[in-house]
Amino acid sequence: MDGQPLRFDTKIAVLLRDDLAPWQRLNVTSFLVSGLGIQVPEVIGAPYEDADGITYLPMFRQPVLVFEATKEVLKAAHARTLTRALPRAIFTADLFSTGNDTDNRAAVRAVPTADLDLVGLAVYGPKGGVDKVVKGARMHP
């Protein structure tokens, strides 16, 4: 490689509601990005190996950009992911009170799309499409 940073034509973005506590931001981000590698395997790079030959799990091959926004901007971003049919993951406020994957899915299933109390959204796709989805959000401090 010639020392130039690799440019990707795709983007991984996480959008968090701006009123979350620090532990919630970390928790939501972790959960949101966990599904991307399964659904979109091309986002995952090769496994890592240290100088002693110990191997480590592969990670995303590109940066994850984290944004924050108001509840209204987050709701609008969610609507834009739906119209663009981009791979997405959501985290709702209800998931803070559940304790397992089955209850998480039931909590989301119980609420109509328009009424979801979104606190986080992850999206992957072409840079231009993802940029349009997160319009109005700001980079997380």
Side-chain angles (χ1 to χ4, degrees):
M1 189 166 188
D2 62 5
Q4 294 295 318
L6 185 58
R7 303 280 182 214
F8 295 96
D9 59 355
T10 57
K11 188 179 275 189
I12 300 170
V14 173
L15 181 54
L16 302 171
R17 205 163 75 191
D18 60 3
D19 61 351
L20 297 178
W23 74 266
Q24 291 173 318
R25 290 170 186 252
L26 295 170
N27 185 268
V28 170
T29 300
S30 298
F31 271 94
L32 286 172
V33 298
S34 68
L36 281 177
I38 298 297
Q39 216 42 53
V40 190
E42 66 267 20
V43 301
I44 302 297
Y48 287 76
E49 183 175 320
D50 67 25
D52 294 322
I54 305 297
T55 58
Y56 304 92
L57 294 172
M59 296 186 281
F60 291 131
R61 65 182 179 93
Q62 66 188 87
V64 176
L65 301 172
V66 181
F67 298 85
E68 68 174 7
T70 63
K71 185 176 187 170
E72 295 76 23
V73 170
L74 183 56
K75 188 174 188 79
H78 178 248
R80 289 190 289 267
T81 66
L82 298 177
T83 61
R84 286 178 172 72
L86 294 172
R88 64 203 164 269
I90 61 166
F91 198 103
T92 66
D94 295 332
L95 302 186
F96 290 126
S97 63
T98 58
N100 61 72
D101 194 44
T102 301
D103 290 342
N104 287 350
R105 274 200 280 290
V108 172
R109 183 176 297 278
V111 180
T113 304
D115 297 331
L116 291 169
D117 187 8
L118 296 169
V119 298
L121 169 74
V123 61
Y124 170 78
K127 268 184 7 181
V130 173
D131 288 342
K132 288 177 183 167
V133 165
V134 299
K135 183 179 178 185
R138 59 194 171 279
M139 288 297 293
H140 192 282

